[in-house]
C-alpha cells in the first residue's frame, strides 16, 4: 500500500461497480495544512481514520470543511447514489450533512475497523466489508436507475414517468436510499458534471460550460456554485486547479 502523502482512488470489483464508486486512500502531509473542502457528489463514504476508527460521511448539501491532523491516514469506500442507505441500514436522510460514528449504524461492523489497525490491513478490511454490505444489503435498483437518469440530465418528473412510479414514491425512495429527494440529487449530479468539465478544460468559457453541464445560463450556474461549493464558478475553478 502506498502511504505517500496524497489522495488515490482504487477501482472496486467489477461485479460491484453499480453500487461502489471506488475505494480510496488519503494520506495527509506531516506538516499542518489548511482544511480541505468536500463538495456534494451524491455519494456517501464509509471511512477509517488511523488512531480513530470508522465513521460514515453522509450526503452533503453544501461545502464541508475537513480538517485532518498531520500524518493522518484515511481509507474509504464510496457508495454510489442510492446504495448507501441500504448498506448502512438507515434512511440516509437521517445522515444529511453529518459525520456519524460507524458504531451507530446498524449495518456496519465497526469493530472490524478499529483505529489501531495498520493502514494496509484497514484497506483490506474496508474492501471486504464494502463488498459484504453491497452484496448482503443491495441497493434499491429503482433508485440506482433514477440516479443514472438524473446524472444524464433528465428531470425528476420525467424520470418518475420512465420508471412507472409517482413523483411522490420516487422522492420517498430516493430520500431513504440516497439522502436527497430526486430534485436535489439532480442538482448535485449536474454540479458534478460542471466540476468534471472545469477540471478538464478550465473555466475560460463559463457560458459554454454552463450550457454543456445543463444549466439554464451562466447566472444559474453561478447561483448553484455559490450554494453547493461556497464559491462562484471562476473562483472554484482556480481553487481546484491550485490543488492539483
Amino acid at each position: 500500500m502506498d502511504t505517500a502523502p496524497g489522495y488515490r482512488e482504487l477501482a472496486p470489483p467489477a461485479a460491484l461497480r453499480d453500487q461502489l464508486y471506488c475505494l480510496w486512500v488519503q494520506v495527509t502531509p506531516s506538516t499542518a495544512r489548511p482544511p480541505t473542502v468536500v463538495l456534494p457528489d451524491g455519494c456517501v463514504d464509509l471511512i477509517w481514520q488511523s488512531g480513530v476508527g470508522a465513521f460514515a460521511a453522509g450526503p452533503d448539501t453544501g461545502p464541508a470543511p475537513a480538517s485532518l491532523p498531520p500524518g493522518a491516514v484515511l481509507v474509504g469506500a464510496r457508495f454510489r447514489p442510492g446504495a448507501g442507505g441500504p448498506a448502512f441500514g438507515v434512511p440516509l436522510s437521517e445522515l444529511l450533512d453529518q459525520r456519524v460514528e460507524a458504531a451507530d449504524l446498524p449495518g456496519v461492523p465497526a469493530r472490524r475497523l478499529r483505529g489501531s489497525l495498520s493502514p494496509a490491513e484497514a484497506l483490506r478490511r474496508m474492501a471486504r466489508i464494502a463488498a459484504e454490505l453491497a452484496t448482503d444489503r443491495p441497493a434499491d435498483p429503482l433508485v440506482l436507475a433514477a440516479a443514472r437518469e438524473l446524472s444524464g440530465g433528465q428531470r425528476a418528473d420525467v424520470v418518475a414517468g420512465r420508471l412507472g412510479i409517482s413523483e411522490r414514491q420516487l422522492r420517498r425512495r430516493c430520500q431513504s436510499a440516497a439522502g436527497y429527494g430526486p430534485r436535489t440529487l439532480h442538482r448535485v449530479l449536474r454540479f458534478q458534471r460542471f466540476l468534471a468539465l472545469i477540471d478538464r478544460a478550465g473555466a475560460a468559457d463559463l457560458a459554454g460550460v454552463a450550457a454543456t453541464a445543463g444549466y439554464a445560463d451562466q447566472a444559474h450556474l453561478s447561483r448553484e456554485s455559490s450554494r453547493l461549493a461556497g464559491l462562484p464558478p471562476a473562483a472554484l475553478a482556480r481553487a481546484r486547479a491550485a490543488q492539483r
Side-chain angles (χ1 to χ4, degrees):
M1 174 179 167
D2 185 357
T3 57
Y7 171 82
R8 292 169 286 281
E9 293 184 355
L10 306 169
L16 301 175
R17 287 178 187 170
D18 61 335
Q19 298 187 73
L20 288 175
Y21 181 81
C22 69
L23 301 168
W24 55 268
V25 176
Q26 180 178 356
V27 181
T28 61
S30 57
T31 55
R33 297 290 179 92
T36 58
V37 178
V38 178
L39 300 181
D41 60 3
C43 300
V44 295
D45 293 66
L46 178 61
I47 302 169
W48 171 89
Q49 181 176 336
S50 55
V52 175
F55 63 97
D60 293 318
T61 60
S67 183
L68 295 169
V73 181
L74 282 76
V75 170
R78 182 163 300 142
F79 291 81
R80 291 188 183 276
F88 292 171
V90 296
L92 275 195
S93 55
E94 297 180 3
L95 304 187
L96 208 62
D97 295 315
Q98 295 188 58
R99 305 298 182 261
V100 179
E101 291 186 11
D104 294 332
L105 301 173
V108 178
R111 293 181 180 179
R112 291 165 58 187
L113 290 169
R114 301 184 306 275
S116 58
L117 296 173
S118 70
E121 179 60 22
L123 179 58
R124 285 191 289 270
R125 293 192 184 194
M126 182 66 75
R128 288 196 296 269
I129 289 169
E132 290 168 7
L133 295 180
T135 301
D136 297 342
R137 297 184 177 87
D140 182 340
L142 184 141
V143 178
L144 290 182
R148 288 192 293 269
E149 294 271 354
L150 294 166
S151 180
Q154 292 293 343
R155 300 192 319 270
D157 59 336
V158 174
V159 172
R162 286 188 175 184
L163 296 174
I165 61 172
S166 68
E167 286 191 68
R168 182 177 181 180
Q169 185 180 4
L170 178 61
R171 181 172 62 253
R172 177 181 60 79
R173 290 171 71 165
C174 279
Q175 287 174 335
S176 178
Y180 311 119
R183 296 181 187 277
T184 300
L185 183 56
H186 178 269
R187 290 178 55 224
V188 168
L189 296 176
R190 179 177 56 197
F191 184 64
Q192 284 295 313
R193 292 198 299 274
F194 160 69
L195 293 179
L197 288 168
I198 61 170
D199 286 348
R200 289 197 302 267
D205 178 17
L206 280 177
V209 169
T212 302
Y215 293 95
D217 51 32
Q218 188 173 338
H220 183 201
L221 167 61
S222 295
R223 292 193 299 272
E224 287 290 274
S225 181
S226 296
R227 290 168 181 163
L228 293 171
L231 290 171
L236 178 59
R238 290 193 296 270
R240 291 175 69 86
Q243 292 173 359
R244 294 197 292 272

mmCIF file of all heavy atoms in Angstrom, residues 51-84:
data_model
loop_
_atom_site.group_PDB
_atom_site.id
_atom_site.type_symbol
_atom_site.label_atom_id
_atom_site.label_comp_id
_atom_site.label_asym_id
_atom_site.label_seq_id
_atom_site.Cartn_x
_atom_site.Cartn_y
_atom_site.Cartn_z
ATOM 1 N N GLY A 51 -5.862 5.708 14.138
ATOM 2 C CA GLY A 51 -5.953 6.173 15.514
ATOM 3 C C GLY A 51 -7.344 6.552 15.966
ATOM 4 O O GLY A 51 -7.558 6.850 17.143
ATOM 5 N N VAL A 52 -8.310 6.532 15.062
ATOM 6 C CA VAL A 52 -9.674 6.968 15.386
ATOM 7 C C VAL A 52 -10.668 5.831 15.233
ATOM 8 O O VAL A 52 -11.468 5.554 16.124
ATOM 9 C CB VAL A 52 -10.092 8.162 14.486
ATOM 10 C CG1 VAL A 52 -11.559 8.529 14.735
ATOM 11 C CG2 VAL A 52 -9.183 9.355 14.748
ATOM 12 N N GLY A 53 -10.653 5.164 14.087
ATOM 13 C CA GLY A 53 -11.620 4.127 13.790
ATOM 14 C C GLY A 53 -12.486 4.515 12.612
ATOM 15 O O GLY A 53 -12.067 5.295 11.755
ATOM 16 N N ALA A 54 -13.709 3.987 12.587
ATOM 17 C CA ALA A 54 -14.554 4.132 11.405
ATOM 18 C C ALA A 54 -15.713 5.086 11.657
ATOM 19 O O ALA A 54 -16.264 5.151 12.758
ATOM 20 C CB ALA A 54 -15.094 2.771 10.975
ATOM 21 N N PHE A 55 -16.073 5.807 10.605
ATOM 22 C CA PHE A 55 -17.243 6.682 10.637
ATOM 23 C C PHE A 55 -17.802 6.781 9.226
ATOM 24 O O PHE A 55 -17.167 6.368 8.251
ATOM 25 C CB PHE A 55 -16.892 8.063 11.189
ATOM 26 C CG PHE A 55 -15.894 8.840 10.369
ATOM 27 C CD1 PHE A 55 -16.310 9.787 9.440
ATOM 28 C CD2 PHE A 55 -14.524 8.633 10.525
ATOM 29 C CE1 PHE A 55 -15.399 10.513 8.696
ATOM 30 C CE2 PHE A 55 -13.593 9.350 9.780
ATOM 31 C CZ PHE A 55 -14.035 10.295 8.860
ATOM 32 N N ALA A 56 -19.004 7.319 9.134
ATOM 33 C CA ALA A 56 -19.646 7.493 7.834
ATOM 34 C C ALA A 56 -19.803 8.970 7.554
ATOM 35 O O ALA A 56 -20.123 9.760 8.454
ATOM 36 C CB ALA A 56 -21.011 6.813 7.814
ATOM 37 N N ALA A 57 -19.570 9.336 6.310
ATOM 38 C CA ALA A 57 -19.818 10.691 5.847
ATOM 39 C C ALA A 57 -21.110 10.677 5.055
ATOM 40 O O ALA A 57 -21.180 10.094 3.972
ATOM 41 C CB ALA A 57 -18.659 11.181 4.977
ATOM 42 N N GLY A 58 -22.147 11.295 5.613
ATOM 43 C CA GLY A 58 -23.444 11.305 4.954
ATOM 44 C C GLY A 58 -23.454 12.211 3.739
ATOM 45 O O GLY A 58 -22.471 12.910 3.449
ATOM 46 N N PRO A 59 -24.548 12.217 2.996
ATOM 47 C CA PRO A 59 -24.641 13.052 1.804
ATOM 48 C C PRO A 59 -24.636 14.537 2.175
ATOM 49 O O PRO A 59 -25.319 14.950 3.114
ATOM 50 C CB PRO A 59 -25.971 12.630 1.170
ATOM 51 C CG PRO A 59 -26.762 12.043 2.289
ATOM 52 C CD PRO A 59 -25.787 11.440 3.234
ATOM 53 N N ASP A 60 -23.869 15.316 1.454
ATOM 54 C CA ASP A 60 -23.737 16.740 1.739
ATOM 55 C C ASP A 60 -24.648 17.566 0.848
ATOM 56 O O ASP A 60 -24.914 17.210 -0.311
ATOM 57 C CB ASP A 60 -22.286 17.193 1.524
ATOM 58 C CG ASP A 60 -21.331 16.586 2.537
ATOM 59 O OD1 ASP A 60 -21.692 16.515 3.727
ATOM 60 O OD2 ASP A 60 -20.222 16.179 2.150
ATOM 61 N N THR A 61 -25.085 18.707 1.382
ATOM 62 C CA THR A 61 -25.863 19.658 0.601
ATOM 63 C C THR A 61 -25.100 20.951 0.353
ATOM 64 O O THR A 61 -25.622 21.866 -0.277
ATOM 65 C CB THR A 61 -27.188 19.992 1.303
ATOM 66 O OG1 THR A 61 -26.908 20.565 2.587
ATOM 67 C CG2 THR A 61 -28.044 18.746 1.476
ATOM 68 N N GLY A 62 -23.890 21.022 0.851
ATOM 69 C CA GLY A 62 -23.048 22.192 0.660
ATOM 70 C C GLY A 62 -21.608 21.852 0.971
ATOM 71 O O GLY A 62 -21.287 20.695 1.273
ATOM 72 N N PRO A 63 -20.693 22.832 0.911
ATOM 73 C CA PRO A 63 -19.282 22.558 1.170
ATOM 74 C C PRO A 63 -19.061 22.129 2.614
ATOM 75 O O PRO A 63 -19.629 22.703 3.546
ATOM 76 C CB PRO A 63 -18.604 23.905 0.874
ATOM 77 C CG PRO A 63 -19.686 24.932 1.062
ATOM 78 C CD PRO A 63 -20.955 24.260 0.630
ATOM 79 N N ALA A 64 -18.236 21.093 2.798
ATOM 80 C CA ALA A 64 -17.979 20.549 4.134
ATOM 81 C C ALA A 64 -16.477 20.597 4.403
ATOM 82 O O ALA A 64 -15.727 19.759 3.886
ATOM 83 C CB ALA A 64 -18.494 19.118 4.238
ATOM 84 N N PRO A 65 -15.989 21.565 5.192
ATOM 85 C CA PRO A 65 -14.555 21.608 5.516
ATOM 86 C C PRO A 65 -14.141 20.366 6.290
ATOM 87 O O PRO A 65 -14.866 19.878 7.156
ATOM 88 C CB PRO A 65 -14.416 22.872 6.381
ATOM 89 C CG PRO A 65 -15.645 23.676 6.083
ATOM 90 C CD PRO A 65 -16.729 22.688 5.789
ATOM 91 N N ALA A 66 -12.970 19.844 5.949
ATOM 92 C CA ALA A 66 -12.448 18.648 6.614
ATOM 93 C C ALA A 66 -11.033 18.940 7.088
ATOM 94 O O ALA A 66 -10.121 19.116 6.277
ATOM 95 C CB ALA A 66 -12.456 17.452 5.661
ATOM 96 N N SER A 67 -10.866 19.019 8.380
ATOM 97 C CA SER A 67 -9.554 19.301 8.969
ATOM 98 C C SER A 67 -8.976 18.011 9.533
ATOM 99 O O SER A 67 -9.604 17.346 10.376
ATOM 100 C CB SER A 67 -9.700 20.351 10.074
ATOM 101 O OG SER A 67 -8.438 20.679 10.612
ATOM 102 N N LEU A 68 -7.791 17.648 9.054
ATOM 103 C CA LEU A 68 -7.149 16.406 9.477
ATOM 104 C C LEU A 68 -5.796 16.705 10.100
ATOM 105 O O LEU A 68 -5.090 17.613 9.653
ATOM 106 C CB LEU A 68 -6.968 15.479 8.277
ATOM 107 C CG LEU A 68 -8.250 14.974 7.625
ATOM 108 C CD1 LEU A 68 -7.925 14.287 6.304
ATOM 109 C CD2 LEU A 68 -8.979 14.019 8.562
ATOM 110 N N PRO A 69 -5.399 15.926 11.109
ATOM 111 C CA PRO A 69 -4.090 16.149 11.717
ATOM 112 C C PRO A 69 -2.971 15.750 10.769
ATOM 113 O O PRO A 69 -3.166 14.893 9.890
ATOM 114 C CB PRO A 69 -4.126 15.245 12.958
ATOM 115 C CG PRO A 69 -5.114 14.188 12.624
ATOM 116 C CD PRO A 69 -6.141 14.842 11.764
ATOM 117 N N PRO A 70 -1.787 16.355 10.900
ATOM 118 C CA PRO A 70 -0.655 15.965 10.058
ATOM 119 C C PRO A 70 -0.360 14.474 10.179
ATOM 120 O O PRO A 70 -0.403 13.903 11.270
ATOM 121 C CB PRO A 70 0.499 16.807 10.615
ATOM 122 C CG PRO A 70 -0.157 17.980 11.256
ATOM 123 C CD PRO A 70 -1.441 17.453 11.820
ATOM 124 N N GLY A 71 -0.094 13.830 9.060
ATOM 125 C CA GLY A 71 0.255 12.420 9.050
ATOM 126 C C GLY A 71 -0.905 11.462 9.173
ATOM 127 O O GLY A 71 -0.700 10.244 9.249
ATOM 128 N N ALA A 72 -2.126 11.959 9.148
ATOM 129 C CA ALA A 72 -3.287 11.069 9.257
ATOM 130 C C ALA A 72 -3.432 10.232 7.992
ATOM 131 O O ALA A 72 -3.130 10.676 6.887
ATOM 132 C CB ALA A 72 -4.559 11.870 9.495
ATOM 133 N N VAL A 73 -3.890 9.008 8.171
ATOM 134 C CA VAL A 73 -4.173 8.117 7.040
ATOM 135 C C VAL A 73 -5.656 7.774 7.084
ATOM 136 O O VAL A 73 -6.180 7.371 8.126
ATOM 137 C CB VAL A 73 -3.343 6.823 7.111
ATOM 138 C CG1 VAL A 73 -3.646 5.932 5.900
ATOM 139 C CG2 VAL A 73 -1.856 7.151 7.178
ATOM 140 N N LEU A 74 -6.328 7.944 5.949
ATOM 141 C CA LEU A 74 -7.737 7.594 5.829
ATOM 142 C C LEU A 74 -7.903 6.581 4.710
ATOM 143 O O LEU A 74 -7.235 6.658 3.681
ATOM 144 C CB LEU A 74 -8.598 8.812 5.516
ATOM 145 C CG LEU A 74 -8.928 9.749 6.681
ATOM 146 C CD1 LEU A 74 -7.723 10.616 7.037
ATOM 147 C CD2 LEU A 74 -10.106 10.648 6.330
ATOM 148 N N VAL A 75 -8.801 5.630 4.946
ATOM 149 C CA VAL A 75 -9.159 4.632 3.943
ATOM 150 C C VAL A 75 -10.675 4.666 3.817
ATOM 151 O O VAL A 75 -11.379 4.686 4.838
ATOM 152 C CB VAL A 75 -8.684 3.229 4.363
ATOM 153 C CG1 VAL A 75 -9.261 2.163 3.444
ATOM 154 C CG2 VAL A 75 -7.164 3.156 4.381
ATOM 155 N N GLY A 76 -11.189 4.696 2.599
ATOM 156 C CA GLY A 76 -12.629 4.818 2.447
ATOM 157 C C GLY A 76 -13.211 3.935 1.360
ATOM 158 O O GLY A 76 -12.503 3.487 0.454
ATOM 159 N N ALA A 77 -14.512 3.708 1.486
ATOM 160 C CA ALA A 77 -15.311 3.068 0.441
ATOM 161 C C ALA A 77 -16.439 4.028 0.105
ATOM 162 O O ALA A 77 -17.170 4.449 1.002
ATOM 163 C CB ALA A 77 -15.872 1.735 0.903
ATOM 164 N N ARG A 78 -16.533 4.398 -1.167
ATOM 165 C CA ARG A 78 -17.536 5.381 -1.600
ATOM 166 C C ARG A 78 -18.676 4.651 -2.306
ATOM 167 O O ARG A 78 -18.467 3.972 -3.313
ATOM 168 C CB ARG A 78 -16.895 6.417 -2.527
ATOM 169 C CG ARG A 78 -17.835 7.520 -2.993
ATOM 170 C CD ARG A 78 -17.045 8.701 -3.531
ATOM 171 N NE ARG A 78 -16.193 9.222 -2.473
ATOM 172 C CZ ARG A 78 -14.942 9.674 -2.674
ATOM 173 N NH1 ARG A 78 -14.408 9.659 -3.888
ATOM 174 N NH2 ARG A 78 -14.236 10.123 -1.662
ATOM 175 N N PHE A 79 -19.882 4.791 -1.749
ATOM 176 C CA PHE A 79 -21.070 4.146 -2.302
ATOM 177 C C PHE A 79 -21.778 5.105 -3.246
ATOM 178 O O PHE A 79 -21.930 6.286 -2.949
ATOM 179 C CB PHE A 79 -22.013 3.708 -1.181
ATOM 180 C CG PHE A 79 -21.482 2.575 -0.357
ATOM 181 C CD1 PHE A 79 -20.563 2.803 0.659
ATOM 182 C CD2 PHE A 79 -21.885 1.273 -0.602
ATOM 183 C CE1 PHE A 79 -20.066 1.756 1.421
ATOM 184 C CE2 PHE A 79 -21.398 0.218 0.151
ATOM 185 C CZ PHE A 79 -20.476 0.457 1.165
ATOM 186 N N ARG A 80 -22.222 4.590 -4.357
ATOM 187 C CA ARG A 80 -22.905 5.411 -5.348
ATOM 188 C C ARG A 80 -24.250 5.907 -4.828
ATOM 189 O O ARG A 80 -24.815 5.331 -3.881
ATOM 190 C CB ARG A 80 -23.121 4.614 -6.637
ATOM 191 C CG ARG A 80 -21.835 4.305 -7.390
ATOM 192 C CD ARG A 80 -22.129 3.679 -8.742
ATOM 193 N NE ARG A 80 -20.908 3.312 -9.442
ATOM 194 C CZ ARG A 80 -20.183 4.158 -10.192
ATOM 195 N NH1 ARG A 80 -20.604 5.415 -10.331
ATOM 196 N NH2 ARG A 80 -19.092 3.748 -10.797
ATOM 197 N N PRO A 81 -24.794 6.956 -5.446
ATOM 198 C CA PRO A 81 -26.119 7.440 -5.039
ATOM 199 C C PRO A 81 -27.163 6.325 -5.094
ATOM 200 O O PRO A 81 -27.308 5.648 -6.106
ATOM 201 C CB PRO A 81 -26.425 8.526 -6.084
ATOM 202 C CG PRO A 81 -25.077 9.011 -6.529
ATOM 203 C CD PRO A 81 -24.196 7.806 -6.502
ATOM 204 N N GLY A 82 -27.828 6.118 -3.984
ATOM 205 C CA GLY A 82 -28.836 5.072 -3.902
ATOM 206 C C GLY A 82 -28.372 3.805 -3.221
ATOM 207 O O GLY A 82 -29.197 2.975 -2.832
ATOM 208 N N ALA A 83 -27.059 3.630 -3.046
ATOM 209 C CA ALA A 83 -26.548 2.395 -2.441
ATOM 210 C C ALA A 83 -26.236 2.545 -0.957
ATOM 211 O O ALA A 83 -26.175 1.553 -0.235
ATOM 212 C CB ALA A 83 -25.290 1.927 -3.179
ATOM 213 N N GLY A 84 -26.043 3.763 -0.483
ATOM 214 C CA GLY A 84 -25.593 3.946 0.890
ATOM 215 C C GLY A 84 -26.628 3.625 1.944
ATOM 216 O O GLY A 84 -26.307 3.027 2.979
#
